[in-house]
Each structure stands twice: as C-alpha cells, then as structure tokens.
Amino acid sequence: MASVLELTDVSFVRNGTRILDSVSWTVDEADRWVILGPNGAGKSTILQLAAANTHPSAGTVEVLGERVGKVDVFELRTRIGLAATNLARRIPAQERVGDVVLTAAYAVTGRWRERYESFDLERAAEVMEAWDLAGLSTRTFGTLSDGERKRVQIARAVMTDPELMLLDEPAGSLDLGARESLLESLADYASSELAPAIVMVTHHVEEIPPGFTHAMLLADGRITAAGPLAEVLTDQHLSDTFGVPLQVRQEAGRWSARAKH
Ligand SMILES: Nc1ncnc2c1ncn2[C@@H]1O[C@H](COP(=O)(O)OP(=O)(O)OP(=O)(O)O)[C@@H](O)[C@H]1O
Ligand SMILES: [Mg+2]
C-alpha cells in the first residue's frame, strides 16, 4: 500500500515555541484518520504541514510521494483537498454557492476550461447533490448558516478530486441535526473505494464518522497514541491526552466519551 503522507521526526517552532515535537506519522492511501487533542495541541499545524502550506523546522514531510521543500508546492497543492475555517474567510460573501463549488475545478483545469466546462458542471451538480447543497446553488455564500458553509467548503475540496483530503473540525459549531447529517455524508464519502486518504481533526470522539480506521492523539505537540481506532481510543489514552479521567464507549460504529467518576 502506498503512503500518501509521511512525517519523520517533525518539529515545528514559531516565536521560540515548540508547537510540534518529534512527530513521526504515516498515512496510507486506504486510511481514514482522525486527529484528537486539547486546544493548542498542534492539530491544525499538522494539517497545514500535510497541506504543504508550511515547512517543518526540523524533520521531513513527504506528501503524495513528494518531499515538501523540494518540489513545486503549487502543483502539489492542487492534489490536496483542504477544508479549514481560515479558507472559508477568503470566499467572497456575494459569490453564489454553485460558483464556489464549480470554481474549485477551474483552479486545477483552468487551461482546459472550454473543453471541460460541461464535465465540470455535471461534476459540480453531482458533488452538490452528495453534500446536500443542491437547493442552495443560487444562494450567496454570505447568506449561509455555519453548517451550510462547512458543507460548501467540503464540496469545494471534493470537487478537485484530491488524492489527500484534509478536514479541520468539519463538524465544529454544528447543531445536533446538522452534525449527524454531515457525519452521514462523511461516512458515505469515506466508504467509497474512489475516496482519497482522509485526515480529519476534531475535538469530540462523537464526531468520528463510521468507517474511519485510525486515530492520532496529540497533546502539547507530541503524539500520545496513534494507530487503529480501537487500539488508540482507550480510557487510558484519552485520559492521558486530555488530562482528565475519561471513559470511552463504542456502539454501532460510533464513539462517545465522558468523565469517569
Ligand atoms: N505563528 C505562531 N506563533 C506562535 N505560536 C503559534 C503560531 N501558530 C500557532 N501557534 C501556537 O501553536 C499551538 C498549536 O496551534 P494549533 O492551531 O495547531 O492547535 P490546535 O490543536 O489546532 O488547537 P485548537 O483545538 O484550538 O484548534 C497553539 O498554542 C498556538 O497558539
Ligand atoms: Mg485547530
């Protein structure tokens, strides 16, 4: 199995602070990873490294077989889908939802715009349908709720057919119904053989979509546990990572956790 992401002894230092410390981690193409850890643990920083948006201070990052720092990152980034809150802020409020999704393809296939136009339109319609956005295509991005915006960001990332999909807190700030329906869409997406390797950052084990295979726990910039979900999501590992006694349960493919008394 080919690895799509390989971090070797990665440290990341900013303003004298060691944000990541000796992180080594491999993601294979059939993997669906979740990264969990307290606020400030370094989760989003790992996604930024995986997206080739930044360089490690020490160690190496290989994404899709290319060593970050040695290749044209603009070319590499077109092969990576990233849905993160800081990107959503760059989408103009007056842009129509259909265009937000469609233009993701033009960033990749710009030169062939004329030739691929109908193909792209069909693909955009298909992606919007899969992510429950079909009814919103003529609305402007600025008028959407937080939950709808999350879906648009993911759909935009899916549209480019990435070889690696990175999701930073896709279910953050969603209400219960919106969260459950997003998890269903994510589970559907993750279960497809055509889907790329996926790495999703979240704060809650309840937000792990069924079908996800691996977990990394991170605290203070260090990996506290990483590997197959069932081996990593134990009371002990979660308690150590979050610094409070926790009890974790798995039922019908879903996880939950609460304080242990
Ligand atoms: N440029 C920077 N200079 C100094 N510190 C930084 C910089 N960028 C990030 N940090 C710090 O690095 C730590 C890790 O940040 P990161 O955003 O990766 O955490 P996170 O695990 O995603 O947290 P959250 O759960 O709150 O999103 C934080 O303490 C943050 O303040
Ligand atoms: Mg974060």
Side-chain angles (χ1 to χ4, degrees), residues 12-20 35 37-48 168-169 201-203 218 221:
F12 189 80
V13 179
R14 281 293 177 276
N15 300 328
T17 307
R18 189 164 289 263
I19 294 166
L20 294 176
I35 302 181
N39 289 127
K43 304 179 297 295
S44 297
T45 305
I46 289 192
L47 280 202
Q48 291 302 322
D168 200 350
E169 295 186 42
V201 168
T202 178
H203 281 123
L218 197 68

Side-chain angles (χ1 to χ4, degrees), residues 118-140:
S118 68
F119 168 84
D120 283 334
L121 285 168
E122 273 170 35
R123 168 117 181 104
E126 192 183 286
V127 168
M128 305 244 313
E129 186 72 40
W131 293 88
D132 281 344
L133 294 167
L136 297 175
S137 67
T138 57
R139 288 268 297 279
T140 55

Side-chain angles (χ1 to χ4, degrees), residues 204-258:
H204 303 288
V205 296
E206 286 78 3
E207 292 173 359
I208 301 174
F212 269 52
T213 59
H214 291 74
M216 176 207 283
L217 302 183
L218 197 68
D220 284 334
R222 285 174 167 269
I223 293 179
T224 49
L229 267 186
E231 287 170 28
V232 170
L233 296 184
T234 62
D235 293 0
Q236 189 70 52
H237 284 147
L238 278 182
S239 304
D240 291 347
T241 305
F242 286 92
V244 282
L246 293 168
Q247 196 164 29
V248 61
R249 284 181 55 183
Q250 188 193 10
E251 203 182 341
R254 293 291 298 275
W255 297 81
S256 59
R258 62 189 177 103

